[in-house]
Amino acid sequence: MATPTLAYDIDASRPAQRELDVRVRFAGVTADEVEFFLPVWTPGSYLVREHARHLSRVVALEPSSGRELRCVKSTKNRFRIARDGADAIELRYRVYAHELSVRTCDLDPGHAFWNHTGVLLWPLGHESLAATIRVTHPPQWSLHCSLPAGSHALAASGPGEAVVRADDLDQALDAPVLLTAGPRLAFEFDGVPHGIVLDGLGTISPPDSLVDDLKAIVAQAAAVFGSNLPYANYLFLAMFADEGYGGIEHRDSSVLLMPRTSLTTARGYRDFLALAAHELFHAWNVKRLRPRELWRYDYERENYTRLLWLMEGWTAYYDDLLVARAGLMSHQDYLDAMAKNVQGMRTAPGRFELSLEESSFDAWLRLYRPDENTRNSSQNYYGNGAVAALCLDLAIRRASSGRHSLDDVLRHLWQHTFEQDRGYVLADVEEAVRTLAGEAETELLHAMVQGPLDPPLADLLQDVGANLNSEDLGRPFLGITFKAGTTIAASVIRGSPAFDAGFAPADELLAVQDLRVTASNWRTVLDAVARIGEPLDVLVARRGVIVGLTVTPSAGPGTAHIALDESAGPQELAARRAWLGAN
Ligand SMILES: [Zn+2]
């Protein structure tokens, strides 16, 4: 019996049409029927995206004769082909690709980017089969992908063509493709080649220090895990556009999307480095060290885990931390970034409704589908997970008199689970914390991830000579946010004066104390007339009817600020340097 072979041809040479033409040739097959499937989600982004809705005109034929084979759509993302004696099956279809995000596909005359989760119809039951992927494209572009080049016999015949090879389905789906005329910069760390491709910058030049800065970040990430780099090569695929922001991790690469002008400001560049650090850190935490339930992905349905607070929250904690430790961010800037997370946590009462574990489990329903009630009903396991990670880190440092930290927990987990070829469960994390710190810290972890999140941050920050306080305390506070450019309520914070007064999302505020309010004068008018404890008359349009409401402002919670303590002693300063680096 011949070994089956699988080969894809992806034609990206018609970018103006925003469509990829795909051919799959599956040969050496003996079964009478073969079912092909397309993933419904892209690992790293926990939402069923239904990639199959972008497929058109899926047809099957026998390549040697051109005879058409019966092709029936069997589920939303599967196609069943009757082989009918054919020696091979060829599938042909088009993929509409016009959604620029890190987890989708985008083809236009400026570039092509795709995730194979949205492109490769794969024969079911043949997930361990190797595949070649030949790409045809406009000659001015180069192909960038972490997959190795195809074998010599299949090598590209010239510009406008490239061939890569995947060992199996997992490897193919974990390697997005970027085709661009943009530059590729290269560097080595520890003898391992790294590259960064810059797409869409136009006439903007990247900072001269980019490669050195990335190298410093790689060094800091490697230092956390204290082992050799886990990959043989690594590629950052960085796309820049007029808007959009995001990143997604892969085993040997990552995709970054940021506004084109980010690299031109100090703040924007720092955010870019933090995003790169975040996705790089995932090469350890998530792509290799990962929960047992995600050890093997099921590409056709939701994959539930209660551990996204570790997968994403801890990574969100380490992203800025790596940048700070690399000396690319001052200690105060680092604390300012963390204060933003603290503020986000404090102003979203959903942390008392749904735990970090429950929010992780519900990622598919909530985090990727935010609505007007999200902040009241759920919590963000990125920002809140980062605050919890900070508390756990400081608590471990305190309990071990500075001998251990969260770095050691990750290293312990790495050695005891990933290096043992298995995924971790919560008990593994607890065991690591218990071993390195003690029972009280294990209980703190428990309380933070399973209960209402209210961590003892102010107390712990004193160990590193930092003070958590609030600015603008006592400003009249209503607890209402508006849709951009309007006075239409986007959300009303549970338990706030506006909530108690009966305001609801979609209410349009027209006047306060008989003074007309608009998006541009709202703050000024409120400051002029609002007093803490004194009722305000507010005119609201609700479903086309004018309604009068009375709200009594309270003293606002203020804005969280973490300040370096100028009077910190040598012990606190040493602890701070051990935590954030020397600068
Ligand atoms: Zn992440």
Side-chain angles (χ1 to χ4, degrees):
M1 193 179 90
T3 313
T5 59
L6 184 60
Y8 293 85
D9 264 289
I10 302 175
D11 183 355
S13 59
R14 296 187 302 115
Q17 278 68 47
R18 271 73 171 166
E19 276 190 325
L20 299 168
D21 285 299
V22 185
R23 292 181 181 207
V24 191
R25 192 170 289 198
F26 185 40
V29 56
T30 52
D32 292 336
E33 271 192 346
V34 181
E35 208 164 13
F36 289 75
F37 80 101
L38 193 71
V40 304
W41 68 294
T42 302
S45 181
Y46 305 91
L47 177 68
V48 171
R49 286 184 192 276
E50 311 292 21
H51 299 302
R53 73 192 199 278
H54 296 303
L55 299 188
S56 300
R57 292 196 53 83
V58 180
V59 296
L61 48 86
E62 181 185 46
S64 58
S65 65
R67 172 168 63 104
E68 194 161 325
L69 303 175
R70 197 159 62 89
C71 171
V72 175
K73 192 161 190 189
S74 46
T75 72
K76 64 182 181 181
N77 64 313
R78 288 186 180 189
F79 296 84
R80 188 182 297 137
I81 319 300
R83 188 166 63 85
D84 195 16
D87 51 1
I89 295 171
E90 182 170 307
L91 278 187
R92 296 181 182 182
Y93 53 97
R94 299 194 307 255
V95 180
Y96 189 70
H98 194 195
E99 186 179 357
L100 183 54
S101 85
V102 297
R103 65 289 249 218
T104 49
C105 306
D106 189 63
L107 179 64
D108 80 10
H111 79 168
F113 168 75
W114 65 79
N115 281 283
H116 285 131
T117 46
V119 176
L120 303 185
L121 275 173
W122 198 281
L124 265 175
H126 296 273
E127 289 75 11
S128 55
L129 198 58
T132 58
I133 302 167
R134 180 191 297 266
V135 177
T136 317
H137 57 83
Q140 68 274 21
W141 293 347
S142 298
L143 180 139
H144 306 277
C145 176
S146 63
L147 291 174
S151 66
H152 187 66
L154 291 161
S157 59
E161 200 180 313
V163 182
V164 293
R165 180 188 160 83
D167 289 340
D168 55 27
L169 172 72
D170 288 331
Q171 197 190 20
L173 296 186
D174 205 12
V177 169
L178 177 61
L179 294 156
T180 178
R184 175 170 174 150
L185 312 176
F187 64 95
E188 277 198 5
F189 179 81
D190 213 8
V192 175
H194 293 67
I196 178 165
V197 182
L198 300 163
D199 167 60
L201 276 182
T203 51
I204 291 171
S205 301
D208 291 340
S209 64
L210 175 61
V211 157
D212 288 340
D213 295 346
L214 287 175
K215 203 168 166 175
I217 287 168
V218 173
Q220 290 301 330
V224 169
F225 288 90
S227 59
N228 293 333
L229 292 175
Y231 43 75
N233 50 64
Y234 192 87
L235 188 58
F236 293 100
L237 301 172
M239 299 189 288
F240 297 89
D242 50 342
E243 57 182 6
Y245 173 87
I248 198 163
E249 67 275 11
H250 297 283
R251 268 178 90 83
D252 304 318
S253 64
S254 56
V255 187
L256 317 173
L257 173 66
M258 282 198 83
R260 175 169 294 123
T261 50
S262 335
L263 297 191
T264 63
T265 65
R267 174 67 200 274
Y269 181 52
R270 209 188 67 203
D271 288 348
F272 175 77
L273 292 177
L275 180 63
H278 182 104
E279 304 311 337
L280 177 79
F281 199 74
H282 276 319
W284 286 265
N285 183 27
V286 168
K287 294 314 301 190
R288 289 176 176 82
L289 175 67
R290 64 190 202 226
R292 186 172 64 188
E293 55 274 22
L294 294 176
W295 196 246
R296 300 257 174 269
Y297 296 123
D298 183 339
Y299 297 105
E300 297 192 85
R301 56 190 54 81
E302 290 85 349
N303 290 213
Y304 296 105
T305 178
R306 290 183 166 80
L307 289 157
L308 280 162
W309 52 267
L310 193 163
M311 300 166 65
E312 290 300 347
W314 289 22
T315 303
Y317 171 55
Y318 273 94
D319 57 24
D320 284 329
L321 191 55
L322 297 182
V323 178
R325 287 178 180 173
L328 302 169
M329 184 178 191
S330 73
H331 287 179
Q332 186 57 61
D333 283 347
Y334 175 79
L335 296 177
D336 288 347
M338 183 51 76
K340 282 213 169 64
N341 288 329
V342 174
Q343 182 69 6
M345 179 187 79
R346 280 181 170 182
T347 54
R351 68 190 163 114
F352 301 119
E353 300 274 325
L354 205 70
S355 71
L356 280 171
E357 281 199 339
E358 291 166 329
S359 301
S360 298
F361 194 83
D362 273 358
W364 304 84
L365 294 181
R366 297 176 189 269
L367 190 108
Y368 286 88
R369 289 175 171 158
D371 61 30
E372 62 188 35
N373 198 38
T374 296
R375 294 207 305 161
N376 285 336
S377 61
S378 172
Q379 58 174 317
N380 185 323
Y381 51 74
Y382 280 83
N384 290 6
V387 175
L390 167 62
C391 286
L392 187 62
D393 193 5
L394 295 177
I396 293 168
R397 288 166 190 269
R398 177 184 286 184
S400 65
S401 305
R403 280 178 297 113
H404 297 306
S405 71
L406 199 62
D407 294 12
D408 300 287
V409 172
L410 281 165
R411 205 174 302 154
H412 186 103
L413 264 184
W414 178 266
Q415 289 163 357
H416 289 81
T417 64
F418 174 72
E419 287 190 350
Q420 309 301 322
D421 203 28
R422 69 176 178 94
Y424 62 84
V425 294
L426 180 61
D428 293 306
V429 189
E430 291 171 344
E431 195 265 329
V433 174
R434 194 174 288 116
T435 305
L436 295 158
E439 199 52 48
E441 292 64 37
T442 314
E443 277 167 25
L444 171 68
L445 170 68
H446 245 285
M448 289 193 294
V449 305
Q450 293 185 333
L453 181 63
D454 199 12
L457 187 55
D459 170 43
L460 288 163
L461 277 170
Q462 290 181 357
D463 291 2
V464 288
N467 295 323
L468 173 65
N469 47 49
S470 291
E471 292 175 343
D472 284 341
L473 253 184
R475 220 170 161 192
F477 170 73
L478 298 183
I480 194 163
T481 65
F482 296 130
K483 291 179 181 165
T486 73
T487 54
I488 299 171
S491 70
V492 178
I493 297 174
R494 177 179 292 276
S496 68
F499 184 89
D500 292 340
F503 286 84
D507 284 351
E508 183 176 12
L509 277 64
L510 302 176
V512 177
Q513 297 292 77
D514 292 336
L515 299 175
R516 180 81 170 98
V517 289
T518 60
S520 54
N521 76 359
W522 160 255
R523 195 70 244 179
T524 331
V525 171
L526 193 71
D527 284 346
V529 300
R531 301 284 175 272
I532 293 164
E534 293 178 18
L536 287 175
D537 291 327
V538 182
L539 214 54
V540 165
R542 177 183 290 166
R543 289 188 183 172
V545 176
I546 305 298
V547 181
L549 295 172
T550 303
V551 59
T552 306
S554 65
T559 306
H561 182 64
I562 306 174
L564 292 173
D565 181 357
E566 300 301 334
S567 62
Q571 193 180 332
E572 286 75 24
L573 290 177
R576 191 195 297 161
R577 279 195 295 272
W579 171 45
L580 292 182
N583 70 327

